[in-house]
Amino acid sequence: DRRRDSPAAGSPIQPIIKDVGEVYSRLLDHRPVIQGEIRYFVKEFEEKRGLRELRVLENLKTTIFETNDRVLPKCEQAMQDNLSETFKRLQAANAMIHRLQERECEARKLQADKVMAREEKCIAHWEEFMKEQQSKRAEVDEEHRKAMERLKEQYSEMEKELAKYVSF
């Protein structure tokens, strides 16, 4: 009696349920298909590519270690040698420029002193010239005054003589 109560036991529905479960697993359950595709992809990837990436990474690692161990110290040493040489050259160039600036400053000072001496000499010469002009002007004024006096005397004498002749 109990067999009759259970719906799937011995009834014609059991093959339908089995078929529905099979259709469900084929149409809606994609896990087995996806797992198969993943396995296929991994197999193809490993077979075709092999361990190339691993070898490339190993080569890169080797190159980096070699660079760190050999090339970098050589570069640092060469840089230190060249920098010290360059620093010495820069110091020498700086000293030479400093000396040139001092020489130029001295030359400018000497030139300024010469200009000042020339200006003082010109001023002294001008003052002497002006004094000389003053004295010559005084001489000329004196000569002019004397000439005026002589002319006045001469004209007064001429007037006197002329006055003698007018009285006739």
Side-chain angles (χ1 to χ4, degrees), residues 13-53:
I13 295 181
Q14 190 174 10
I16 294 173
I17 292 174
K18 189 177 180 183
D19 287 342
V20 168
E22 201 174 298
V23 168
Y24 170 78
S25 69
R26 284 188 177 189
L27 291 177
L28 300 174
D29 189 13
H30 299 298
R31 282 180 277 163
V33 175
I34 291 174
Q35 287 176 353
E37 287 295 319
I38 290 172
R39 276 190 230 112
Y40 175 75
F41 177 77
V42 168
K43 181 181 172 187
E44 285 293 314
F45 186 79
E46 287 177 351
E47 284 178 6
K48 288 182 180 176
R49 302 211 33 138
L51 300 175
R52 266 191 288 179
E53 283 79 18

Side-chain angles (χ1 to χ4, degrees), residues 94-168:
N94 193 20
M96 290 173 66
I97 288 173
H98 186 67
R99 284 191 300 255
L100 284 173
Q101 285 178 334
E102 286 177 354
R103 287 180 190 166
E104 187 175 323
C105 184
E106 289 173 6
R108 285 183 185 166
K109 186 177 177 183
L110 186 62
Q111 187 70 20
D113 290 344
K114 285 181 182 178
V115 168
M116 287 297 289
R118 274 191 236 133
E119 284 181 8
E120 289 173 2
K121 186 177 178 181
C122 284
I123 289 172
H125 183 67
W126 180 256
E127 287 175 356
E128 183 181 324
F129 174 76
M130 290 305 287
K131 286 179 184 177
E132 189 177 305
Q133 289 302 316
Q134 288 284 352
S135 65
K136 285 183 179 180
R137 189 179 102 200
E139 287 177 20
V140 168
D141 285 346
E142 184 62 30
E143 283 182 29
H144 182 266
R145 188 184 59 75
K146 288 180 182 177
M148 289 291 288
E149 284 180 19
R150 274 187 264 134
L151 283 174
K152 280 183 186 178
E153 287 177 16
Q154 185 179 0
Y155 282 122
S156 64
E157 283 180 26
M158 287 173 79
E159 276 184 21
K160 287 180 189 175
E161 283 185 29
L162 190 58
K164 289 183 191 176
Y165 294 114
V166 170
S167 52
F168 282 114

